[in-house]
Amino acid sequence: MTDILSIGRSGLAASKKSLEVAGHNISNANTEGYSRQRVRQTSGIPLIKDGMIASTGTRILGTERIDAGLLEKRLQSSLSENEYQKERLNQLEQVEHIFNESGVDGLNKIINRFFNSFRELANQPENETIRSVVRDSARMITKDFRRIRGTLDSLAYNIDKKLEHEIVNINQSLNQIAKLNQKIRSLEAIGGESGDLRDQRDIALKSLSEYFQITTYLDNRNNFVVNAEGVGTLVSATEVQELAFRGQDKDSSSNGMSGSVEIYFKNRPASHISEKFQNGRITSLLTARNSDIQRLQKEVDEIAFNLTKGVNAIHSRGHAFKHTIQIEGEDPNKNTGILFFKDLSNGENAGNEIALSSDVENDLTNIVTALEPNNPGDNRIALAISKLESAKILANGTATFEEQYLKSIGNIGLQTGKARLDTEQSQGLLAQTKSLKERITGVSIDEEAANMIKFQQAYEASAKVLKAADDMFQVVLGIKR
Amino acid sequence: MTRVSENSNKAALNFAVGKAKERLEDLQIKGTSLKRVTKPSDDPLSNVEALAIGSTSISNRQFLRNSDHALLQLNTTEQALDQLSDILLKAKDIALQQSSDFYDVATRRNVANEIIQLKNQMLSIANKKIGNRHIFAGFDTLKHPFNIEGDYFGDDGKIKVEASKDFFVQINLNGREVFFADDNKPNQNINSIEFQRTLASETPDKEFHKRENLFGLLKMLTNGLENGDSNLIQDLLEKFDDAQSRIITLRTRVGSIVNSIMTTRAQLESENVDLETHKSKLIDADIAEIFSDITKQQQVLKTTYQSGQAILNQSLLDFLR
């Protein structure tokens, strides 16, 4: 008879535990990264007593966390991919913005205006006012080159800052994972439930996959290992290999700018591992800095350098006309060889260094139109400079200034457009994976509600069993009276 | 049966709403700017092509300005040539009247004064200016190209402007072409040269044959009148005709340049219209299409909201009382 009591009691306990877990699930329905749990329950081991098999009620094996396993890994790699594309789009959109000419006057229009100002000067080479128009439009050019080049530089600089920031975050994540490994291990050693800690570790792994692609596995000594794909082990159980960053000087930097940041293993500063990372924000930032932005910096420099070189080559051949009285025997070639732009020794950093020559900056009459000395009406130099607009002198003599510049813009447009499509696509994939995973591990309130009713009723029924046993006891006890 | 959890439900709804809103926002930007391409990545090829068209049409506008300028100078030159030919006609009339011995010396002296006046008129034409530019001075435009003696101080500079892309037109005639017939330096002793020519008339020398100096002609006429030399005057008649026909040739040249500029202008203007049309096709939005798309997208968003409401606001618990 006591069997009945203990069977009833086991049912009562099991139902109570199940209700508890259902409650836990419901309360965590909106918890980030929570995987639903359920009670693992089995029937009691039957005993043989007095030659008969006696049932022993129900037994709770423990709570179990519904694990999505492979899906979780797929989610991590989708996250890496998505973060890579998102960051790429973010960076490229900023770059694109520099070159966006719809609505505002960009470099293309400004260069065009510069050449047209020389055409206007060719109309009236005697006119001082037009010279000042020419100088203003040339100033606009130098200003816009510096704007473009400067903004590109600061984008690259911001990427460096961002990388430094991310490395700190990455190290935090790594340490958090190691700590969770420790906790999970000690909890499981005493047979505790580690489901909620595993949820937290999954969250930490997911935030780590936003930075770069990772793989995780249990090694043969049951250590939980986190690998950065292409780089190596970062966490093995409780051991952490932290990352470090260091700014490079100009010569050893990978984008030709001093202070650009590279990533190292902490305490192993021999060679940097920046390029080895795959996917994720880190790779995206490095790609934008080392390839996209750097290429544009070079292209802008090339245009700026060739513009100054081309204009100077023609301008210095002419003779300035001065309204001073010519002194007998004075060298008429004195007013020649004047540079229009400041002479740049080479193309490096030309976009930042482009400026008017001090001659032109100080004196408008130093803007030359005449090929021969003392010819105020001679406009051949001005005409020749305006002809530079259609001269194919860039990209080994295959492109005009405009064509080359538009090629850069077109390229950026294509890249950004592609990044946008890729981002959309990877976002779709990510959402799909997330929802697949959530379908398996997420909490359904409807389901839990149904479960609650089920367990409540089971609880009531188990209580009825106890009541029945009690009644039976009463009957037996009543015989004596 | 696929299991549906709260979070998968919510994520699906978020994704759908986000997608619909993103499209609507994109359409809204296009609707407000009325541009199909607002940044290079919207359509890289069209964007680049539109930019190239933009600078072509700005350059075309500059070419139109250039040709305005050229026309101003060419028309002034033509007027000057017209006045020159008037002066030559008057001088020739006078020469014709005075070529016989009909008039007496006193009359001829008076007439000579008239010729001197004509010569002064001619000088003012020769030193004609547009703004501060002397049109007959070649490149040396800031000085008077002719002095009172008719000596030329300008040069042979050919001022050209770009009337359309890579099409350069000369917009000036230099003083030497107009007032002297050959490329020799202006000779101070015009009289003697002219004299030599008459002496050498039996042996026609092409160089000499072509030579007449407009100032020199008037000066010789004055001399002839003052000296009563009717032979000289008769001799001059033919040269006035030569000079006249040369001026007419120059006028024809100017006229043909003006014509070619006018043709170019017409081409540029129609090209600009074509370019703008093309550019608009490349980057402007089809308004009707955009607004019908917006309406459609708004409907999509509304439906998404409604379906969300049905899912989010209800659960089994609502029915367990």
Side-chain angles (χ1 to χ4, degrees):
Chain A
M1 206 109 85
T2 48
D3 287 355
I4 302 177
L5 274 178
S6 79
I7 286 173
R9 195 174 52 87
S10 76
L12 217 54
S15 304
K16 196 185 121 239
K17 180 70 185 166
S18 295
L19 264 171
E20 233 176 70
V21 169
H24 186 59
N25 280 343
I26 289 176
S27 61
N28 280 308
N30 293 321
T31 303
E32 171 82 36
Y34 179 77
S35 303
R36 73 195 159 99
Q37 298 174 2
R38 71 177 167 212
V39 173
R40 278 170 62 218
Q41 202 179 343
T42 178
S43 53
I45 300 160
L47 298 170
I48 299 174
K49 212 165 75 181
D50 304 338
M52 287 206 313
I53 295 168
S55 310
T56 54
T58 185
R59 202 154 58 92
I60 297 167
L61 294 174
T63 53
E64 143 186 79
R65 167 176 175 266
I66 305 293
D67 200 355
L70 279 174
L71 265 177
E72 184 69 34
K73 288 192 172 160
R74 223 169 90 191
L75 186 59
Q76 285 165 6
S77 76
S78 314
L79 257 174
S80 300
E81 171 72 16
N82 182 239
E83 281 299 319
Y84 175 84
Q85 300 296 358
K86 233 165 68 184
E87 190 60 47
R88 181 161 180 72
L89 179 62
N90 177 19
Q91 294 296 334
L92 286 178
E93 272 182 336
Q94 291 181 53
V95 174
E96 183 192 20
H97 188 71
I98 305 176
F99 293 95
N100 192 2
E101 294 205 13
S102 16
V104 286
D105 285 355
L107 187 61
N108 186 45
K109 277 206 187 96
I110 290 171
I111 290 185
N112 179 242
R113 204 180 296 150
F114 171 72
F115 285 121
N116 277 330
S117 75
F118 268 103
R119 290 199 176 100
E120 188 65 35
L121 184 62
N123 285 343
Q124 308 177 54
E126 304 92 348
N127 195 327
E128 188 102 334
T129 324
I130 292 171
R131 282 191 162 73
S132 78
V133 172
V134 170
R135 188 168 69 184
D136 283 347
S137 64
R139 276 190 190 137
M140 292 280 286
I141 283 191
T142 61
K143 212 175 99 188
D144 212 52
F145 266 117
R146 288 203 292 260
R147 171 188 72 87
I148 291 175
R149 189 58 160 80
T151 321
L152 285 173
D153 287 358
S154 68
L155 278 181
Y157 179 72
N158 284 344
I159 286 178
D160 286 335
K161 287 279 139 223
K162 212 166 174 176
L163 280 172
E164 290 178 6
H165 191 70
E166 305 284 43
I167 299 291
V168 174
N169 288 345
I170 289 170
N171 284 339
Q172 262 175 17
S173 281
L174 292 177
N175 282 316
Q176 197 192 352
I177 292 169
K179 243 179 243 162
L180 284 165
N181 279 346
Q182 162 87 40
K183 278 188 191 165
I184 290 170
R185 182 178 270 184
S186 50
L187 195 63
E188 282 176 352
I190 56 165
E193 299 293 341
S194 60
D196 296 329
L197 290 174
R198 280 171 187 268
D199 283 347
Q200 282 181 35
R201 187 170 66 190
D202 279 348
I203 294 174
L205 287 173
K206 266 183 272 186
S207 81
L208 194 61
S209 356
E210 290 182 0
Y211 300 113
F212 41 76
Q213 180 130 19
I214 57 168
T215 48
T216 59
Y217 61 92
L218 283 173
D219 71 4
N220 44 20
R221 279 175 300 167
N222 214 23
N223 287 332
F224 186 81
V225 179
V226 180
N227 252 343
E229 194 91 335
V231 176
T233 306
L234 296 180
V235 181
S236 171
T238 57
E239 298 292 315
V240 176
Q241 171 62 60
E242 286 195 7
L243 298 177
F245 57 84
R246 202 173 63 214
Q248 306 289 306
D249 58 28
K250 198 161 186 283
D251 293 330
S252 56
S253 72
S254 44
N255 71 337
M257 284 176 71
S258 70
S260 80
V261 165
E262 300 291 356
I263 303 168
Y264 294 87
F265 282 129
K266 198 172 189 178
N267 303 327
R268 277 151 72 186
S271 59
H272 66 77
I273 49 171
S274 308
E275 272 108 38
K276 292 183 181 161
F277 288 102
Q278 287 169 21
N279 273 340
R281 276 215 288 279
I282 297 286
T283 319
S284 189
L285 288 170
L286 285 166
T287 315
R289 187 190 73 185
N290 294 348
S291 101
D292 299 292
I293 294 179
Q294 194 191 5
R295 202 190 55 231
L296 281 168
Q297 285 169 329
K298 280 194 177 139
E299 283 171 0
V300 169
D301 283 350
E302 195 201 347
I303 297 175
F305 180 59
N306 282 296
L307 183 71
T308 59
K309 217 173 62 176
V311 172
N312 277 344
I314 296 172
H315 195 264
S316 61
R317 265 153 65 191
H319 289 78
F321 179 77
K322 303 278 184 182
H323 292 270
T324 49
I325 293 160
Q326 188 90 34
I327 300 162
E328 185 77 28
E330 189 185 31
D331 180 13
N333 293 324
K334 166 173 85 95
N335 291 323
T336 186
I338 301 167
L339 294 179
F340 189 85
F341 287 108
K342 198 177 82 184
D343 187 38
L344 302 173
S345 47
N346 58 41
E348 199 181 320
N349 214 10
N352 275 327
E353 285 171 8
I354 184 170
L356 293 181
S357 71
S358 56
D359 284 338
V360 169
E361 193 66 65
N362 294 331
D363 187 357
L364 280 176
T365 57
N366 279 328
I367 296 176
V368 170
T369 57
L371 184 62
E372 305 278 340
N374 296 324
N375 272 334
D378 188 353
N379 63 359
R380 283 175 289 183
I381 292 292
L383 279 183
I385 291 177
S386 75
K387 271 192 215 162
L388 271 179
E389 188 181 25
S390 51
K392 292 193 183 295
I393 53 179
L394 281 134
N396 300 324
T398 58
T400 65
F401 290 114
E402 178 170 55
E403 283 164 359
Q404 184 71 2
Y405 181 67
L406 290 186
K407 213 154 70 185
S408 298
I409 296 190
N411 212 327
I412 270 298
L414 280 172
Q415 296 278 352
T416 316
K418 185 175 171 293
R420 188 166 295 133
L421 279 180
D422 288 347
T423 309
E424 255 171 53
Q425 208 172 34
S426 70
Q427 245 159 10
L429 261 171
L430 180 65
Q432 202 185 20
T433 321
K434 249 187 191 155
S435 106
L436 272 177
K437 198 213 133 203
E438 281 296 338
R439 276 179 189 175
I440 295 173
T441 66
V443 177
S444 161
I445 290 186
D446 288 348
E447 194 181 82
E448 301 302 332
N451 281 343
M452 271 169 66
I453 291 164
K454 190 172 82 183
F455 297 137
Q456 251 174 318
Q457 280 173 353
Y459 188 89
E460 269 175 44
S462 296
K464 282 265 163 65
V465 173
L466 285 180
K467 178 89 171 37
D470 181 45
D471 286 351
M472 285 160 76
F473 271 118
Q474 293 300 330
V475 170
V476 174
L477 289 173
I479 298 172
K480 225 176 173 185
R481 206 174 293 160
Chain B
M1 181 197 77
T2 320
R3 197 174 167 274
V4 175
S5 75
E6 300 311 304
N7 282 338
S8 74
N9 218 328
K10 215 169 57 192
L13 184 71
N14 275 343
F15 189 70
V17 171
K19 204 92 196 143
K21 271 193 156 172
E22 194 186 335
R23 279 205 203 107
L24 196 59
E25 190 186 274
D26 187 46
L27 284 169
Q28 222 123 35
I29 290 172
K30 281 177 184 159
T32 49
S33 66
L34 295 182
K35 291 242 183 319
R36 189 174 68 85
V37 181
T38 52
K39 47 187 179 305
S41 56
D42 286 342
D43 186 344
L45 294 179
S46 299
N47 178 64
V48 163
E49 201 178 338
L51 285 176
I53 288 175
S55 46
T56 309
S57 66
I58 292 174
S59 290
N60 279 352
R61 250 168 266 151
Q62 178 63 41
F63 293 141
L64 286 174
R65 283 174 60 86
N66 288 359
S67 60
D68 279 342
H69 207 82
L71 285 177
L72 173 67
Q73 175 142 359
L74 286 168
N75 286 336
T76 318
T77 307
E78 199 174 7
Q79 271 169 28
L81 290 176
D82 191 34
Q83 287 163 359
L84 268 185
S85 99
D86 276 357
I87 289 173
L88 287 176
L89 201 67
K90 263 186 208 154
K92 193 200 154 193
D93 273 356
I94 291 169
L96 202 62
Q97 282 166 20
Q98 306 298 332
S99 60
S100 62
D101 291 333
F102 185 77
Y103 292 98
D104 60 16
V105 177
T107 322
R108 280 191 169 151
R109 288 253 160 82
N110 286 338
V111 172
N113 280 333
E114 206 176 316
I115 299 293
I116 291 171
Q117 279 316 307
L118 285 180
K119 200 177 129 198
N120 287 341
Q121 251 183 55
M122 190 184 274
L123 183 67
S124 89
I125 292 169
N127 285 333
K128 205 173 182 64
K129 292 207 294 190
I130 299 174
N132 54 0
R133 165 188 278 186
H134 291 272
I135 57 173
F136 290 120
F139 284 148
D140 205 357
T141 50
L142 293 182
K143 285 191 301 217
H144 286 305
F146 289 93
N147 67 3
I148 187 76
E149 295 301 318
D151 299 332
Y152 183 53
F153 297 102
D155 56 28
D156 297 331
K158 294 187 169 87
I159 298 177
K160 290 180 179 170
V161 301
E162 201 171 1
S164 77
K165 193 168 163 57
D166 294 329
F167 174 57
F168 291 88
V169 290
Q170 187 183 343
I171 59 165
N172 72 325
L173 295 175
N174 65 54
R176 201 161 1 243
E177 305 178 84
V178 179
F179 294 92
F180 307 110
D182 68 352
D183 287 340
N184 285 354
K185 284 274 170 221
N187 200 308
Q188 305 290 357
N189 305 317
I190 292 159
N191 284 339
S192 65
I193 291 175
E194 292 300 323
F195 233 34
Q196 278 171 17
R197 193 200 87 69
T198 42
L199 289 175
S201 58
E202 285 90 1
T203 52
D205 181 344
K206 281 209 171 93
E207 269 208 28
F208 281 116
H209 186 71
K210 289 284 279 183
R211 174 163 300 164
E212 359 82 14
N213 174 327
L214 298 189
F215 289 102
L217 282 180
L218 292 186
K219 207 166 177 183
M220 274 164 62
L221 184 57
T222 322
N223 285 349
L225 287 170
E226 279 172 350
N227 300 337
D229 186 346
S230 54
N231 279 342
L232 178 62
I233 297 173
Q234 271 177 10
D235 223 31
L236 283 172
L237 282 178
E238 193 196 343
K239 281 195 272 182
F240 273 119
D241 281 344
D242 284 351
Q244 187 71 270
S245 74
R246 194 164 55 76
I247 296 291
I248 288 170
T249 316
L250 286 175
R251 279 184 69 177
T252 326
R253 211 168 94 196
V254 171
S256 72
I257 297 175
V258 169
N259 266 342
S260 70
I261 291 178
M262 295 307 277
T263 321
T264 320
R265 280 182 72 91
Q267 277 166 3
L268 283 178
E269 273 155 8
S270 76
E271 190 188 333
N272 265 359
V273 174
D274 292 347
L275 286 176
E276 287 302 323
T277 320
H278 187 50
K279 188 175 160 188
S280 167
K281 268 186 202 145
L282 286 174
I283 59 167
D284 285 351
D286 181 339
I287 299 171
E289 191 187 313
I290 286 236
F291 283 98
S292 78
D293 278 357
I294 287 181
T295 326
K296 204 166 73 191
Q297 210 58 47
Q298 274 168 340
Q299 206 56 46
V300 170
L301 187 61
K302 218 161 131 187
T303 319
T304 318
Y305 282 147
Q306 272 164 355
S307 68
Q309 183 204 17
I311 295 176
L312 285 187
N313 285 345
Q314 283 172 4
S315 79
L316 182 60
L317 293 172
D318 296 333
F319 301 92
L320 299 174
R321 298 277 176 236

